[in-house]
Amino acid sequence: MVDQPVRIDLGSEIFSADVLQPSVGNRGFDVRKLRPETGYVSFDPGFANTAIARSAVTYIDGAAGQLLYRGYAIEDIASNCSFLEVSFLLLYGSLPNAGELLLWENDVSRHTMLNEEMRSFFDAFPRRAHPMAVLASATYAISTFYDVYRRPTREQEIDAGARTLIAKMPTVAAWAYKKSIGEPYVYPNNEFSYVENFLHMMFSRPTEITPIDPAIVKALNVLLILHADHEMNCSTATVRSVGSSRASMFASVAAGMGALWGPLHGGANQAVIEQLQAIHDDPDATIESTIARAKDRNDEFRLMGFGHRVYTNYDPRAKVLASFAQDVLDRMSIEDPLLDIARDLEAAALADDYFAERKLFPNVDFYSGIIFRALGFPQRMFTVLFSIGRLPGWIAHWVEMNNDPETRIMRPRQIYTGETERAYVPIEDR
Ligand code: CMC
């Protein structure tokens, strides 16, 4: 069925906007001709009602708490696939068959090593450098070794860029961590799977190989999959925005990392643990006082790991993680008081009218930090782990944008509220 155009009554004229049909979800109407034809612009800070592209990567039904990667439910994908399998799905649109998966895994594992000159890059950072800053800088730095990827246009070059980023990011992340603790860098070992290799580079030493626990591999695999894409979130929109100027895949992804690092986005996973730890350590920071502060309009404090632009229901990723957190802790015989505090905080928030009225539920960051902690990752690495997970999503969107004939350089409009034209005043007369 074709919908009639949407008619917008502007008083003196009617603007007619064609309706854009989705395969499922919100319909859109096309306002591309609104300003040229009427002189009006639409006002939508934060793009809360603006579709920036047609996309076939990920679908979210926020009211139902549903998340699909290329049509597959996140719950199915998380319990049945490996992270590289999901990366293939996001990048190429369908799940790989056994042969394709083997080829993809081999291809990625043969590109995990960094150019040896990158060692001096890590050496140059201070020990206290946040690993997110190192990760984003290293993403730019790697591109300098691969001139051909500066602005890849041929399919082969785009594939090579995607593979390079996905293969090398765990090495970069682990080396950023090793640098921060003053330990020697551990080289990748292609005997290992993708996740095993990352754990090896993080936790082994040149003198001693730390055995890799299959339970940790499985848990990290699930965590990376849950973070792999989330349609037009802030960092993905950033990747698309930067890429729309025809900047390279590497420059676009590095910019996306900057967006992800903010505490309202991926940085929330570190902030959640800091908040839970404060409740644990500080007698003045109780569950009640934390909820009260989050509700106080005069306090910019927020309950981290709660709320979402799209979900008005329980985030399906948080649902998986809420039960998974206990599983992981039990399997590893860890008792973490922060999990109990998180549960109490969640129960108190869900029972509170403020959170109910605004439909604020736990999001993916609420429980992920507790699991990252149990797996042995320090807090400052949490958003780095989110980045490794989100990488295939960023790239899938960059490629989709690059191939989309409707893509134009992202260049929003404004409602100007400054001074109108005025006469220049010489400095001695001011
Ligand atoms: N604690 C207290 N109040 C909240 C929270 C929260 N976590 N989240 C939203 N609200 C309130 C907000 O004050 C506003 O109230 P009012 O209508 O009275 O002004 C209302 O709920 C709507 O919030 P908003 O800020 O307009 O919503 P948004 O869509 O612009 O922001 C958000 C979404 C995720 C940035 C926000 O919910 C938030 O700051 N959450 C905490 C940070 C967080 O957990 N971020 C991770 C997001 S999920 C994963 C990811 O993207 O990385």
Side-chain angles (χ1 to χ4, degrees), residues 257-276:
M257 288 172 177
L260 186 78
W261 193 6
L264 296 190
H265 191 10
N269 57 15
Q270 181 178 336
V272 168
I273 293 295
E274 286 163 0
Q275 216 163 73
L276 297 175

Side-chain angles (χ1 to χ4, degrees), residues 109-126:
S109 69
R110 279 190 292 109
H111 291 85
T112 48
M113 220 160 64
L114 301 178
N115 187 299
E116 193 61 10
E117 287 178 64
M118 281 290 287
R119 282 184 72 103
S120 52
F121 170 88
F122 289 91
D123 290 343
F125 283 95

Side-chain angles (χ1 to χ4, degrees), residues 264-266 297 302-303 305-309 354 358 363 365:
L264 296 190
H265 191 10
R297 281 179 167 275
R302 287 190 163 198
L303 191 55
F306 252 76
H308 199 275
R309 173 64 63 76
Y354 173 94
R358 289 168 182 76
N363 59 50
D365 295 314

Side-chain angles (χ1 to χ4, degrees), residues 184-375:
Y185 310 121
V186 174
Y187 285 81
N189 180 338
N190 294 350
E191 298 290 302
F192 294 128
S193 72
Y194 189 79
V195 170
E196 287 169 347
N197 211 358
F198 177 45
L199 292 167
H200 165 68
M201 291 185 283
M202 280 286 302
F203 300 118
S204 285
R205 298 188 175 115
T207 47
E208 185 182 321
I209 295 201
T210 302
I212 297 167
D213 179 346
I216 297 188
V217 175
K218 187 164 177 274
L220 187 54
N221 207 56
V222 170
L223 279 153
L224 294 179
I225 292 171
L226 292 178
H227 288 90
D229 193 45
H230 215 233
E231 48 117 309
M232 301 299 165
N233 57 87
C234 179
S235 56
T236 302
T238 302
V239 168
R240 280 177 168 267
S241 180
V242 174
S244 75
S245 75
R246 301 202 183 152
S248 79
M249 183 191 287
F250 289 76
S252 309
V253 163
M257 288 172 177
L260 186 78
W261 193 6
L264 296 190
H265 191 10
N269 57 15
Q270 181 178 336
V272 168
I273 293 295
E274 286 163 0
Q275 216 163 73
L276 297 175
Q277 194 69 53
I279 296 174
H280 182 262
D281 298 344
D282 176 359
D284 293 332
T286 59
I287 303 264
E288 294 70 30
S289 70
T290 306
I291 297 279
R293 275 193 77 189
K295 289 161 55 175
D296 183 354
R297 281 179 167 275
N298 300 317
D299 190 335
E300 66 173 24
F301 179 91
R302 287 190 163 198
L303 191 55
M304 300 313 281
F306 252 76
H308 199 275
R309 173 64 63 76
V310 183
Y311 293 116
T312 49
N313 201 331
Y314 215 108
D315 179 338
R317 304 165 300 172
K319 206 177 261 179
V320 172
L321 290 177
S323 58
F324 198 52
Q326 187 65 63
D327 260 23
V328 171
L329 263 57
D330 287 350
R331 229 177 304 154
M332 303 183 70
S333 310
I334 295 176
E335 275 181 33
D336 187 346
L338 298 198
L339 180 58
D340 298 328
I341 296 173
R343 289 233 178 81
D344 293 346
L345 196 57
E346 177 190 340
L350 294 183
D352 192 293
D353 285 349
Y354 173 94
F355 291 88
E357 280 158 15
R358 289 168 182 76
K359 299 191 165 77
L360 303 172
F361 292 89
N363 59 50
V364 68
D365 295 314
F366 195 68
Y367 285 105
S368 63
I370 289 174
I371 309 179
F372 287 145
R373 233 162 92 95
L375 302 184

